[in-house]
Amino acid sequence: MKQVLHWSAWSPTNKTTFLFTFERVMRRLWGWNTRLTPDYLKRLLGEQPLS
């Protein structure tokens, strides 16, 4: 992944900003994942369609 992003060419400020943003996004996703229950999904998406 570092090669795809050309990480070595990034300034320290850009690296810090990227890592900070990545950490914030991952925390939000983790928090959402802990609340992702079948009841919550049913309220959010409705009943599961019949196959």
Side-chain angles (χ1 to χ4, degrees):
M1 191 63 168
K2 287 181 182 181
Q3 195 172 24
V4 172
L5 294 174
H6 302 287
W7 187 255
S8 60
W10 289 27
S11 72
T13 303
N14 287 345
K15 288 178 181 180
T16 302
T17 301
F18 176 81
L19 292 174
F20 175 78
T21 303
F22 179 79
E23 188 268 337
R24 295 284 306 249
V25 168
M26 293 309 291
R27 279 183 186 252
R28 294 281 265 183
L29 288 173
W30 178 77
W32 181 68
N33 184 51
T34 61
R35 294 185 307 274
L36 196 59
T37 63
D39 290 336
Y40 175 73
L41 286 172
K42 194 177 287 183
R43 283 195 319 269
L44 186 65
L45 304 171
E47 292 292 325
Q48 183 176 0
L50 300 174
S51 329

